Amino acid sequence: MFKQLSSGGYPSMFEGVRTLSTDKRWLWLGSWSSVLAFALLLVLFVSQAEAFEAPLETPAQKSDSAINGPFLDVVAFENHLVAVGLYGRIVVSGNSGESWSQAQVPVSTDLVAASFVDRKKGWVVGHGGVVLHTKDGGKNWELQLDGLEAQQLAIDYYTENDDGLEKDVADEMLALERSFVFENETQPFMDVLFVNEQRGYVVGTFNRIFATEDGGETWKPLMHRTDNPTERHFYAVAGNGEAIYLAGEAGKVWRLNPQSGRFESADTPYTGTLFGLLAFGQNQLLAYGMRGTVYLSRDEGSSWTNLDVPFTGGVTDADLSPEGQIFIVDQGGGLYQSQDGGADFTKVKVSRPMSYFGVAWMAPGLVTLVGESGVRVESIF
């Protein structure tokens, strides 16, 4: 899918050697050619190991063709655009996409989602459990959190248990975090939402959710505050005012209860994966995902209507104009808009379709699209 989940280690070349050595055809070590071949294989392995540079420790490489993608998300503030994508690449435009510059990014992990509170301040998340922050509109980024730090934060939090959680709950959360450390894995963050420049959320695989109240300087795990006992992946976090929602696997949606501080189930009838959410208007919520699935709720997720939409591709992103137009894109290269709050969608003609991963309304008659072939600004009529 457009947001990969793999976060394990790299395959060992010695595993291949061990497998081959069990074949009788490889037991004639008296042959100098066999010894030479094996030695060359070892040299290749060592040279590759030495050449490997950890993505969390390697800045994104600059490229003259960076604008050609792939990119996975885009945000827009009038004529100011920021797109994020693979290998830590972030591109910025201050003139409605007429020209672009590549940002300074301290990691080269794949970046999947962005959230800005104004033209200057924004956050990006991605693989390796990274959280990046910018104060200058996306030109330069600093690393606020990574997956290893997130693991340790969670371990410390559930070990100390200063909030007085029930012991079995704290122990359960602690066991999961320690299992990630044992398996030498860092879990990706799949989405980010900042409701203002201080309060924000990041979410990811295996029920992972962290919150900040100081602009990302410190983070607190909230895995114990979700009605998610089977540890479903979170793919989306969205908000509208004080209403905060999550979405992910098995058609599940969660809504934050401000009184209890828990994310409670507000599930759709769908049983497949939901890729995203759009919160808008008064108590309205759009949930979308695989196979052209779009559900609409007008009561904060208490009930849902399955929309009859004119497409079958996986819906990857949605955005809202100030006038209330809803735009959605799919992996099949379709851009669609609704003028009636999501009840009906019509297809919008685009100049050069591609598999789309993100959409952002920019100005009347203009949207920015990102996908497998880069970033494009499209006029819509």
Side-chain angles (χ1 to χ4, degrees):
M1 303 305 296
F2 68 103
K3 291 182 178 179
Q4 304 172 36
L5 293 180
S6 61
S7 58
Y10 293 86
S12 171
M13 292 186 66
F14 285 122
E15 292 179 356
V17 173
R18 188 164 55 246
T19 300
L20 290 172
S21 66
T22 61
D23 193 314
K24 292 182 180 179
R25 291 171 299 175
W26 287 80
L27 295 180
W28 46 293
L29 294 180
S31 167
W32 279 107
S33 61
S34 177
V35 173
L36 179 60
F38 188 74
L40 289 174
L41 184 61
L42 290 179
V43 170
L44 176 62
F45 172 77
V46 172
S47 64
Q48 287 188 347
E50 291 177 348
F52 174 73
E53 295 181 339
L56 285 176
E57 301 171 1
T58 307
Q61 291 186 357
K62 290 297 186 74
S63 170
D64 294 337
S65 60
I67 191 62
N68 296 323
F71 286 91
L72 302 182
D73 198 17
V74 60
V75 294
F77 278 89
E78 298 176 348
N79 66 340
H80 190 79
L81 310 172
V82 180
V84 305
L86 303 189
Y87 313 117
R89 289 176 180 168
I90 299 177
V91 294
V92 181
S93 174
N95 54 10
S96 302
E98 292 183 13
S99 62
W100 295 84
S101 60
Q102 188 175 348
Q104 297 284 345
V105 181
V107 298
S108 53
T109 59
D110 293 348
L111 305 175
V112 300
S115 177
F116 275 66
V117 295
D118 56 36
R119 293 170 64 98
K120 296 293 186 181
K121 304 181 189 66
W123 289 260
V124 165
V125 297
H127 288 206
V130 300
V131 180
L132 306 176
H133 177 47
T134 182
K135 301 176 183 177
D136 60 5
K139 297 177 182 179
N140 296 278
W141 295 81
E142 62 178 352
L143 181 65
Q144 285 191 329
L145 185 68
D146 64 38
L148 296 176
E149 293 172 335
Q151 286 175 358
Q152 193 59 52
L153 280 175
I155 289 172
D156 292 344
Y157 179 82
Y158 292 117
T159 298
E160 296 166 1
N161 197 9
D162 291 336
D163 287 348
L165 302 178
E166 294 183 9
K167 186 177 186 305
D168 59 340
V169 174
D171 288 347
E172 181 181 355
M173 299 295 106
L174 189 58
L176 179 63
E177 292 303 320
R178 285 176 172 166
S179 73
F180 293 144
V181 174
F182 178 77
E183 295 171 1
N184 196 29
E185 291 186 345
T186 57
Q187 299 304 312
F189 287 127
M190 306 304 290
D191 204 5
V192 53
L193 170 70
F194 269 75
V195 297
N196 55 49
E197 60 183 79
Q198 296 298 316
R199 180 185 172 203
Y201 301 87
V202 294
V203 301
T205 54
F206 297 106
N207 189 48
R208 296 180 78 69
I209 175 170
F210 288 76
T212 181
E213 296 290 343
D214 55 13
E217 294 296 325
T218 60
W219 295 87
K220 178 180 179 179
L222 299 183
M223 283 77 86
H224 58 290
R225 293 191 180 181
T226 65
D227 291 345
N228 189 18
T230 56
E231 297 168 353
R232 299 284 188 180
H233 300 327
F234 297 136
Y235 293 138
V237 55
N240 186 20
E242 291 300 311
I244 307 295
Y245 305 90
L246 313 176
E249 293 183 295
K252 292 188 172 297
V253 175
W254 295 263
R255 176 181 56 213
L256 177 62
N257 182 326
Q259 282 72 45
S260 66
R262 292 191 61 82
F263 286 89
E264 301 173 347
S265 295
D267 299 344
T268 71
Y270 183 53
T271 58
T273 297
L274 294 174
F275 292 145
L277 295 167
L278 179 66
F280 63 100
Q282 179 128 12
N283 306 324
Q284 298 184 76
L285 189 64
L286 205 68
Y288 49 87
M290 297 175 63
R291 296 185 291 273
T293 298
V294 183
Y295 276 86
L296 175 65
S297 175
R298 300 187 186 279
D299 53 14
E300 297 184 308
S302 296
S303 62
W304 296 90
T305 300
N306 186 10
L307 301 184
D308 184 15
V309 294
F311 49 85
T312 58
V315 182
T316 52
D317 199 17
D319 199 21
L320 184 73
S321 77
E323 295 77 26
Q325 290 174 293
I326 298 175
F327 297 93
I328 60 177
V329 290
D330 69 7
Q331 290 174 298
L335 168 66
Y336 303 86
Q337 68 174 336
S338 173
Q339 306 277 5
D340 55 9
D344 296 287
F345 283 91
T346 58
K347 190 169 186 177
V348 179
K349 185 178 180 180
V350 295
S351 60
R352 292 180 297 157
M354 61 178 169
S355 183
Y356 293 124
F357 303 147
V359 57
W361 180 92
M362 188 171 66
L366 291 175
V367 295
T368 305
L369 305 169
V370 296
E372 65 177 357
S373 301
V375 186
R376 294 172 186 167
V377 176
E378 291 275 0
S379 299
I380 54 176
F381 304 98

